[in-house]
Amino acid sequence: MTISEFEARVNAQKPVESGHYDSEYFTGDWRAEGNNYNLETRRQIEAKNPALIKDVFAPTKVLDLGCGPGALMHLLWELGVDVEGIDFAASSKQLATPQVRDRITVGLVTDATLKPAGAYDLVICREVLEHLTVRQVMQAVSNMVRMSSRFIYVTTRFHPNPANLLDFTTQFDVDPSHITLLNKDMLRLMFVLEGCRSRPDLEARMDWANKGRVLVLEKVGESAMPIADSVQLGRDVVIHHPALVK
C-alpha cells in the first residue's frame, strides 16, 4: 500500500455509531460458537486471563478502556482488583453486573477529558481498536498513554498478511464493525511515538493462547527515548522521528 492509497482509505473510513452496540450485539447468538458477553460465557472464554492480569502486572488501579458490559471488570473485581471502565455504548452500563455498573463511564475511548492523566498503573484495551477508524486508533493510543502511569495491555485483530507497514484491512465476516485491522508493527509504532517501549517478556506471558494478538507497552521518560534520524516504513515511505529506532 502506498502513502496515497493509505491516505485515500483513511479518509474514506466512517466511525461506527454507538447505537450499533446494543443489547443484541453484546448478548445475541449471532457470533460463532456462542461467543457473547454474558458473564458466565465470558468467564469460560477468559479462563486464566483475569488471574494473569493480576499476577503479571500487580496493578493498584486498572482502567478497562472499551469495557463493554464489564465482564472482565467483574472478574477482576472478584479478585480484589480496583478497576474502572469506559465504553461509549449506553447498553454497556445497562448490561453490567451491579458490582461494577457504577464503575463504568459512558463516553468515547478517545475522550481525554473523562479521566485524569496517570491515574491508572494499568490501562487495558482489549478487542476494541478493530472497531475504530485509523484516526480514532491514533487518538485512543494517545489517550491510553496519557491515562497510564506505567503499563498498557492491548489485544486486537491484526491484518493477517499486510503488504507493508501501512496496510490495513477489515473483517466483516466475523463482525460487521471490524473496520480496521492494522499491521501489528503499525500499532506498536503508534505507542512508541507516544513514549512507550515494548515488553515482549510480558506479551509472551499474556499471550498464553498463542493467538498473536497481544501487545504490552510500558511508559518511558523522554530522556530514555532513543535517538535516530529516520526509519523506512514501507516501500516508499520514510518518517523522520527521534523515537522510532533504538
Side-chain angles (χ1 to χ4, degrees), residues 27-45:
T27 64
D29 58 3
W30 59 272
R31 290 183 178 84
E33 302 177 358
N35 179 4
N36 61 43
Y37 282 81
N38 290 319
L39 178 59
E40 294 310 313
T41 300
R42 299 309 301 177
R43 188 186 301 277
Q44 296 177 30
I45 293 171

Side-chain angles (χ1 to χ4, degrees), residues 36-54 62 64 67 69-83 97 99-100 103 124 126:
N36 61 43
Y37 282 81
N38 290 319
L39 178 59
E40 294 310 313
T41 300
R42 299 309 301 177
R43 188 186 301 277
Q44 296 177 30
I45 293 171
E46 292 290 354
K48 60 183 181 180
N49 278 328
L52 263 181
I53 290 169
K54 184 176 181 180
V62 176
D64 188 355
C67 62
L72 178 60
M73 291 176 60
H74 183 100
L75 298 175
L76 289 171
W77 171 84
E78 289 181 341
L79 297 175
V81 176
D82 185 2
V83 58
T97 64
Q99 291 86 349
V100 300
R103 292 173 171 264
I124 298 172
R126 299 192 327 159

Side-chain angles (χ1 to χ4, degrees), residues 110-132:
T110 57
D111 189 344
T113 68
L114 295 179
K115 301 290 182 180
Y120 307 91
D121 52 338
L122 173 63
V123 172
I124 298 172
C125 184
R126 299 192 327 159
E127 309 304 302
V128 173
L129 300 181
E130 63 266 36
H131 299 271
L132 307 180

Side-chain angles (χ1 to χ4, degrees), residues 33 88 99 118-119 129-130 132 134 152 155-156 185-186 235:
E33 302 177 358
F88 87 142
Q99 291 86 349
L129 300 181
E130 63 266 36
L132 307 180
V134 173
I152 299 163
T155 71
T156 187
D185 286 342
M186 172 61 93
R235 293 171 181 170

Side-chain angles (χ1 to χ4, degrees), residues 9-24:
R9 289 188 58 193
V10 167
N11 287 333
Q13 283 190 303
K14 302 297 182 184
V16 181
E17 298 294 331
S18 63
H20 174 78
Y21 304 102
D22 56 10
S23 176
E24 172 63 19

